[in-house]
Amino acid sequence: MVRRAAGIQKLTGANAYAAWAEGAEVHLSDGRRLLDLGTWAATVLGHRPPVIVAAVGEQLGSLPAAARGLANPCTPLLARRLAELARPSRLEKAWLGANGADVTEAALKLARLATGRMRVLAVAGGFHGRTLGALAVSDADGCRHELAPLLPEVTICEPTPQALERELARGDVAAVIAEVIPGSSAAVPLPEDLLRRWARSTHEAGALLIVDEVQTGLWRCGQFSLSLALGLDPDAVLLGKTLGGGVMPLSAMLCTARMAARLEDNPFLHSQTFSGHPLACAAGLAYLDAAEDATTRDRGRVAAWLAALRPRLGGHAAVVETGARGLMMGVRFTSAHVAGQFVMAAARLGVLVAPSDADRSVVRILAPLVLGEAQMARAADALDRACAGLAPASGTAPPGGPGPVAAAASTAKD
Ligand SMILES: Cc1ncc(COP(=O)(O)O)c(C=O)c1O
């Protein structure tokens, strides 16, 4: 397992490793620089944003770790700030974790406890993490197929109103979990009418609506929360990745008082050693302070660049579909294998991009706000050339076989 990951890293870095990073660039041990348009969506503000580094440094000098059983000033401030950003909505409470899977687990547990029901409907095409519970509600065959049975009472539901309503009609559903822009899509949001109808049906059936915005939230796609902006009235919104400012691991589940009630009575129903970690919370507070302004200032510029890049990449024979929303673009290739070849070719040409966890034929281009004009021109050129060099119809990875990058790694020579 480690050997394969190391092989991929070796191939991506062409035998060099990441030595340091700043802004949109990662500097390699051999002196080369790569533009980072990947990093699993964790760096909306780029690498080592000075405001985040300063906030973490200050916290490091006072109280880096939580003293269990004692309050600290940082953790509740972050929870309160997140709830303020969610206003006006029913999301008054926050639980903090270290990564996206943590908050998926928290939401699934609290939905079961709040409703007394056990069944969960997961909308097809979604990805929610790799712990066993999060994987059970993820539509990612490649990661699931050897681990079955996963969590019982989970139904992966096709994205049609009829399919969801048929399942809800059984009256035993605790929660519906969905992404507004499915992980398996080429950054194409689900239709707003469909989302609104689902939200209404979910609530009418007495079930809770959990919207996973770990990748798309916190202004990556233009809004603090897409589901709140669309008026879906979710019972929980999941946030993560860039919340730690690209510096610390941090995630948050925002939820209603009803969902939080059992956890408030008994915090041991869901808790972790590092949840609400002061260093991570200091980074989160600094991110929230910086990101809204930075987004207002730079999003138009970077989003316009991605919008212009879309038809350029979409014109290549190996590309089936493209989409873009805010600082996120998705490209669907003719196969997982071709997608893997693209990831490797882009790295060779100086740009890191992110393969999708939910669909191996999809690659995401996740632009940080700090991308300068010259870097945009360099990246567009490299990605265009990477697409141009692809044979459109190479083989497809078998179900459960290696992901796009691993598929490319296994066929490439060291
Ligand atoms: C939408 C979504 N939810 C949850 C997760 C899981 O997050 P993590 O890898 O931090 O556990 C991911 C990861 O890619 C994601 O894209």
Side-chain angles (χ1 to χ4, degrees), residues 40 98-102 104 127-130 179 212-216 241 357:
W40 314 113
N99 53 54
D102 292 349
T104 304
F127 183 81
H128 308 288
R130 291 180 198 277
E179 287 184 88
D212 182 343
E213 305 197 41
V214 164
Q215 180 157 160
T216 55
K241 292 194 182 277
D357 279 305

Side-chain angles (χ1 to χ4, degrees), residues 335-369:
S335 72
H337 183 78
V338 174
Q341 297 291 348
F342 171 73
V343 174
M344 288 300 161
R348 272 196 303 279
L349 293 166
V351 183
L352 295 171
V353 290
S356 159
D357 279 305
D359 185 327
R360 291 157 176 196
S361 62
V362 169
V363 175
R364 293 255 168 107
I365 297 164
L366 300 155
L369 285 168

